[in-house]
Amino acid sequence: MKPKILVTREVFDETLDYLAQHCEVEANQQDAAYGPDVLAQRLGDKDGMMCCLTDRVDAALLAACPRLKAVANIAVGYNNIDIAACTARGVMATNTPGVLDDSTADLAWALMLATARRITEVESHIRAGQWTGWRLKQWLGVDVHHATLGIIGMGRIGQVIARRAAGFDMKVIYSNRNRVAPEIERRLNAEYASREDLLARADFVVLQVPYSAETHHLIGAAELKTMKPTAILINSTRGGVVDDAALVEALKDGTIRGAGLDVFENEPRLNPGFLALKSVVLAPHIGSSTEATRRAMAMTAAQNLVTALSGGTPPNLLNAEANQKR
Ligand code: DGY
């Protein structure tokens, strides 16, 4: 008998076709997230779940789904899943690392360039029919080339962001829980710095750490005050790594120059203070959102799930200890 699975949000046809070859699939192709009660009810008789960062997988949900053996997140970040609770119940949890590194790094760069050169601000000006002609001192931005790029979090995506900096002749400094191997530093021409030093020196601060209790409000009022008044902050990693209320204040009073943001606390209800600020470029959590990458993420999650439910060890297993619990 095929294992029963729930796919909680809309996915691509080829993902469903692949899943249907191996599983009995119930799919929510409406693309509106289920509330916790509906989710628990639909998942109650399922062996597996393919979910997104909009689904909370916590101890209460797991308790209501005794058959569940595997949860496959269509994302590299997995702060929506209580991994310890999954492990305690012997539920394997997986994510989708690797396939989205380049697209996510590209988006961080898009935000950097757009914020530095005020692209969304000037575009609104043109669209509003207000452009009256060229002026020498109009819409002055800041240079990205030859500036200092500070990357907080030098994992896979941080390293791709750093690699792209060579084309802009930038100085790259980074901070990370652990210093990366010397050959990586050499290849990326990246200098290790303490977070304090990085914040004080960087013209562009790019955050690339996962969200956790440890990184909650990693950048708040105190940290923003230590940055250059000309600095630009980029958050394309996870809402909550930045204290958004503190960032709104810092942008209002000129503590820093600007911010490029793809993620927010309490998405999609972002702090309304951002909307009134011209110095901020806003995107709706689209870091990995290219056609090819989202298809690859969905297929990676599907393969993780099928492997887990066929008794194998999925390539992107987050909690190897879960296997011992079963
Ligand atoms: C991720 O993979 O964590 C992204 O935020 C989802 O788009």
Side-chain angles (χ1 to χ4, degrees), residues 53 73-79 95-97 100 104 157 236-238 262-263 285-289 294 297:
L53 48 88
N73 216 26
I74 313 177
V76 66
Y78 49 88
N79 54 303
N95 67 341
T96 63
L100 45 65
T104 308
I157 299 172
S236 52
T237 187
R238 270 293 181 275
D262 184 45
V263 290
H285 202 147
I286 55 163
S288 59
S289 189
R294 286 284 166 89
M297 288 165 68

Side-chain angles (χ1 to χ4, degrees), residues 103-132:
S103 302
T104 308
D106 285 352
L107 197 271
W109 271 94
L111 289 174
M112 238 191 290
L113 290 162
T115 312
R117 302 303 299 270
R118 307 171 66 174
I119 295 298
T120 53
E121 191 185 348
V122 295
E123 205 217 0
S124 309
H125 184 76
I126 290 185
R127 284 186 189 275
Q130 292 167 347
W131 189 35
T132 51

Side-chain angles (χ1 to χ4, degrees), residues 159 162-163 166 181-190:
Q159 290 179 28
R163 202 166 71 217
E183 60 269 24
I184 298 178
E185 285 188 356
R186 257 196 312 278
R187 181 160 31 85
L188 298 175
N189 202 9

